[in-house]
Amino acid sequence: MTPPSSGSLSPTGDSTQPTPRSPAVLPAVTRGATAEENSGTAVRAVQGREGGPELRTDTSHRQREHALEGQVPPGQSHRPDAIAAERAASTASELPRHPSPAPPRNSTSGQGTNAQPRPPRRSLVRRIKERWRRRWLDLACRWRPLSGLHCLISGELSREAQAMLRGRQRHLMQLEEAGGEAVLFQLRRNTHRLEKGLIMRPRRPQFALDYIAETVASFEQSVADATGGKEVSPGQQDDCQTLRWARDVLGDYFRVVRRDAMLDGLFDRYDAARQRFDDSLHTSSEAHALTPYRRDLQPLGVSIDDFERLAWRRRSVRWYQQRPVPREVIDRAIRIAGLSPSACNRQPFQFRVYDDPALVQRIGAIPGGTAGFAENFPGLVVLVGQMQAFPLGRDRHVIYIDASLAAMSFQYALELQGVGSCCINWPDVESRERQMAEAIGLAGHERVVMLISFGYPDPDGMVPCSSKKPLHSIRSYNQR
Ligand SMILES: Cc1cc2nc3c(=O)[nH]c(=O)nc-3n(C[C@H](O)[C@H](O)[C@H](O)COP(=O)(O)O)c2cc1C
């Protein structure tokens, strides 16, 4: 890898990313101070530092972080002295000789006098309230029934609990009525379990006995739902992917399992449904069976350096060019996101993409964390979790985990296509939830996980340095 010349380094430590140089661009960025983890209270200044001098320092700061970690930003020399030289060079060439003085310490406006302002006085009532709140918190976190009482009184978890219960109710109702997406969710989960049984070492002669009848019933039902006894048109073929997977895995299962009378009966039912399904498809044979396989272990041609460079390059981009991102680009990124791991391969989320400017404006303004920059979003994703995928409350967190894993891949896939993005927090605030439900037509069992803005980065827009924690503070081995 060729080290880039120090002068061309951007704040991300990336040699090709455009580096904002002119102070003339700064006022636009300073506007972007935004509320992030917000319910309107926790305000985090995303930008608004007074420009260039700090940016240059950030460049060297990132290199210093690498040096401290014993790591080297990809594309740069491994020698610490090279990092220091890089830093000195960029400092010498781009830092003003006399950085503007820091504002007086006690000044909020940055133009204050040396007079010591008095700390704001809280009213007596407020202080008493705060003290009680603190006492109650100490108590409530010590004893679980009191924690429950706290949630009941505060209503803090009520919307989430309701969505979870609605999801569960919908799931069970659809299973009872043998129709709807819950059957497909169940089929996906069980097909996944069968595949795990198939790859088990050593494989047991009989397995999945406690759920194979349920799986065959879901397969029969899903075939009936999908085909209705008719042919599946080529346009619908993609929707049958779950059925293809289940068909092939069930086929493998019945081939290898030691059959008894019960399994023979289930095989006959499976085979009849399979026949119906195959007859309804236009293609009679498919190239690959969707069953367990040995991975190709040939080197990929994508090195860890490549990946690290990508990770350094991706930053939360908040300023975009005013031109649309082609849908092929977005869809490709979502297809890649869809390859992410998910619990029992259920994939209980949807990327709802908005590229209609009026809708983007409306939806982008709902979360508070977009204040100051929502107006320039060319596109927006609302990542929605589907609680109806789960019959049990214990899995209530899975939508957030699965959707977030997919979100990360989505952002990397966008980045590799030249498209910047930024996650947007979705705080659990009733009024905003109502607005969002109305704006995008959310059902009661669906939960917003986060929003993601995207677009081609404005070369004049800056990104925060967003320094990362050092390795030792996020990693431990064998901790007990
Ligand atoms: C779940 C989540 C919510 C976020 N919400 C917001 C937000 O509301 N507004 C915003 O400007 N940035 C938001 N961000 C972006 C973070 O500020 C950003 O990821 C973080 O500062 C690290 O910077 P980086 O993404 O450039 O590495 C969010 C990020 C995540 C993962």
Side-chain angles (χ1 to χ4, degrees):
M1 222 174 296
T2 325
S5 76
S6 55
S8 70
L9 272 173
S10 78
T12 60
D14 186 300
S15 60
T16 51
Q17 186 149 318
T19 305
R21 283 165 199 283
S22 160
V25 303
L26 292 173
V29 175
T30 320
R31 270 185 293 140
T34 183
E36 182 170 322
E37 289 88 15
N38 90 88
S39 51
T41 48
V43 177
R44 175 182 180 280
V46 166
Q47 289 285 8
R49 283 181 280 170
E50 289 300 307
E54 281 196 45
L55 261 183
R56 296 303 114 220
T57 314
D58 285 351
T59 304
S60 51
H61 176 67
R62 184 150 290 176
Q63 292 161 349
R64 192 173 61 240
E65 280 182 348
H66 270 304
L68 284 173
E69 292 294 334
Q71 302 166 359
V72 175
Q76 293 179 28
S77 162
H78 281 246
R79 287 181 301 123
D81 58 330
I83 294 173
E86 193 104 70
R87 184 179 161 197
S90 73
T91 306
S93 62
E94 300 184 31
L95 266 183
R97 298 259 169 241
H98 305 289
S100 46
R105 274 192 102 177
N106 292 316
S107 159
T108 47
S109 65
Q111 319 202 342
T113 65
N114 285 333
Q116 299 284 321
R118 289 159 76 182
R121 299 193 66 180
R122 286 173 301 162
S123 75
L124 182 65
V125 179
R126 203 164 145 204
R127 270 182 290 158
I128 293 173
K129 261 191 183 167
E130 275 172 15
R131 191 167 303 162
W132 273 107
R133 218 175 274 150
R134 190 60 222 266
R135 287 251 166 89
W136 168 247
L137 187 64
D138 289 346
L139 263 180
C141 70
R142 242 179 257 164
W143 199 41
R144 209 181 313 155
L146 276 189
S147 306
L149 185 64
H150 170 86
C151 294
L152 196 67
I153 296 168
S154 69
E156 264 170 19
L157 301 179
S158 63
R159 277 181 301 284
E160 184 158 19
Q162 192 181 28
M164 177 190 79
L165 293 175
R166 283 182 172 164
R168 193 189 302 176
Q169 181 212 30
R170 191 177 169 90
H171 186 95
L172 296 175
M173 190 183 73
Q174 289 188 339
L175 288 186
E176 274 161 25
E177 292 172 0
E181 75 267 40
V183 181
L184 271 181
F185 276 124
Q186 183 181 68
L187 184 60
R188 294 191 68 79
R189 173 168 188 248
N190 287 354
T191 304
H192 158 79
R193 294 163 83 191
L194 285 176
E195 283 205 288
K196 275 171 64 179
L198 286 167
I199 64 162
M200 188 52 66
R201 301 200 299 187
R203 186 195 289 148
R204 298 208 308 267
Q206 275 196 330
F207 59 97
L209 296 182
D210 53 336
Y211 61 89
I212 186 64
E214 179 185 278
T215 312
V216 170
S218 312
F219 180 67
E220 285 175 314
Q221 184 57 49
S222 302
V223 168
D225 282 353
T227 66
K230 300 185 294 279
E231 278 197 351
V232 175
S233 70
Q236 291 174 302
Q237 300 255 336
D238 263 6
D239 300 338
C240 293
Q241 190 66 8
T242 300
L243 285 176
R244 284 210 185 93
W245 177 42
R247 172 199 65 191
D248 292 355
V249 171
L250 278 164
D252 256 21
Y253 172 79
F254 283 115
R255 248 188 310 282
V256 303
V257 75
R258 193 180 65 217
R259 297 225 215 131
D260 54 17
M262 189 262 299
L263 286 173
D264 276 342
L266 287 175
F267 172 75
D268 291 343
R269 282 173 54 190
Y270 154 74
D271 205 42
R274 180 198 59 74
Q275 192 66 54
R276 270 201 308 281
F277 180 55
D278 286 349
D279 290 347
S280 71
L281 292 177
H282 278 257
T283 48
S284 52
S285 67
E286 281 141 26
H288 304 289
L290 303 176
T291 49
Y293 64 98
R294 288 201 174 78
R295 283 193 317 146
D296 180 359
L297 295 179
Q298 292 305 308
L300 261 182
V302 182
S303 71
I304 183 66
D305 283 349
D306 293 336
F307 187 63
E308 198 170 354
R309 269 213 318 273
L310 170 64
W312 276 106
R313 167 68 74 88
R314 187 215 61 82
R315 293 274 70 85
S316 289
V317 170
R318 296 175 176 85
W319 300 109
Y320 304 102
Q321 296 173 39
Q322 296 310 299
R323 63 181 171 109
V325 177
R327 287 189 173 177
E328 306 86 78
V329 169
I330 305 166
D331 285 352
R332 185 156 194 196
I334 296 176
R335 257 199 304 276
I336 291 169
L339 299 174
S340 306
S342 81
C344 287
N345 202 22
R346 285 189 191 93
Q347 303 165 47
F349 51 78
Q350 281 183 334
F351 282 72
R352 297 206 189 171
V353 184
Y354 296 90
D355 58 3
D356 172 83
L359 277 175
V360 173
Q361 287 306 302
R362 178 174 172 199
I363 298 163
I366 302 175
T370 57
F373 63 101
E375 298 75 23
N376 93 119
F377 294 161
L380 203 53
V381 165
V382 183
L383 198 44
V384 173
Q386 299 169 302
M387 285 287 197
Q388 75 272 29
F390 307 97
L392 300 171
R394 69 180 186 199
D395 288 327
R396 66 189 173 280
H397 300 130
V398 170
I399 57 162
Y400 304 107
I401 299 165
D402 287 353
S404 299
L405 287 167
M408 185 75 267
S409 292
F410 174 64
Q411 290 188 285
Y412 280 138
L414 286 179
E415 192 68 48
L416 283 173
Q417 298 179 89
V419 178
S421 63
C422 181
C423 299
I424 295 159
N425 197 28
W426 184 249
D428 186 1
V429 177
E430 180 149 21
S431 57
R432 294 184 201 274
E433 296 241 309
R434 240 184 286 119
Q435 285 179 59
M436 186 61 89
E438 211 179 292
I440 69 169
L442 273 185
H445 53 271
E446 293 172 323
R447 297 282 295 163
V448 175
V449 176
M450 70 173 93
L451 280 71
I452 303 174
S453 62
F454 62 84
Y456 291 107
D458 176 350
D460 288 334
M462 293 197 290
V463 293
C465 164
S466 296
S467 169
K468 303 302 180 193
K469 293 181 180 178
L471 175 65
H472 65 81
S473 75
I474 57 168
R475 175 275 278 125
S476 73
Y477 291 111
N478 307 321
Q479 183 176 354
R480 303 185 64 168

